[in-house]
Amino acid sequence: GQNIDQPTEMTATEGAIVQINCTYQTSGFNGLFWYQQHAGEAPTFLSYNVLDGLEEKGRFSSFLSRSKGYSYLLLKELQMKDSASYLCAVRVFTGGGNKLTFGTGTQLKVEL
Amino acid sequence: KAGVTQTPRYLIKTRGQQVTLSCSPISGHRSVSWYQQTPGQGLQFLFEYFSETQRNKGNFPGRFSGRQFSNSRSEMNVSTLELGDSALYLCASRYRGQLNYEQYFGPGTRLTVT
């Protein structure tokens, strides 16, 4: 099976930088996603990593180390609107195709 | 381009009943996946459909089933509802040729079983 771990909650200050970690144990790894979900809303796509390294997209960056089963999402210049749940999801290839397994999410609270 | 739509948005059912949820993907997206989201378990994969065929299935009992129509719209059915089926049911669509495998989620159907 798959096991994905990420912190349950984090708090950070507006304007600061925060790093949300995700570790996973899985077979058939075929990519890692980060999604953002505001309360009462649907998840929205942030990033996709399949190769080792850092992917940067504006204020958000995502890093992957496949050998360590580790990823992080880096949020810079935090804004109040960044308060949300951040979901790490691993794409796994099974016999029949690919499926996504999500972590339980990290609730980020941005304070003044 | 219109987003993913799901109907109904809210539903209250009684134990033992059955329910059908509907999802219309973004135009041009032929892959539709369904997820169950609960506070305790998070987002859990139910199944994926592509070209009217179920391509993958999560670890849910046979009471959960789905289908996809030729216009890519999908339905999900839960029979013999249990209290534990109360959850937010999300569907997501994607364009299969997209390299980053980005999925677009609908707003969800909030199912309450009493």
Side-chain angles (χ1 to χ4, degrees), chain A residues 1-3 25-27 101, chain B residues 59:
Chain A
Q2 292 82 42
N3 190 36
Q25 293 174 307
T26 186
S27 55
T101 299
Chain B
N59 300 322

Side-chain angles (χ1 to χ4, degrees), chain A residues 1 9 14 27 30 35-36 49 55 69 74 76 78 80 87 97-98 104 108 110:
Chain A
E9 294 179 339
E14 188 179 35
S27 55
N30 204 12
Y35 280 83
Q36 179 192 59
N49 295 67
E55 296 276 345
L74 194 71
K76 304 175 186 175
L78 280 172
M80 298 298 288
L87 307 170
N98 291 281
T104 51
L108 173 66
V110 180

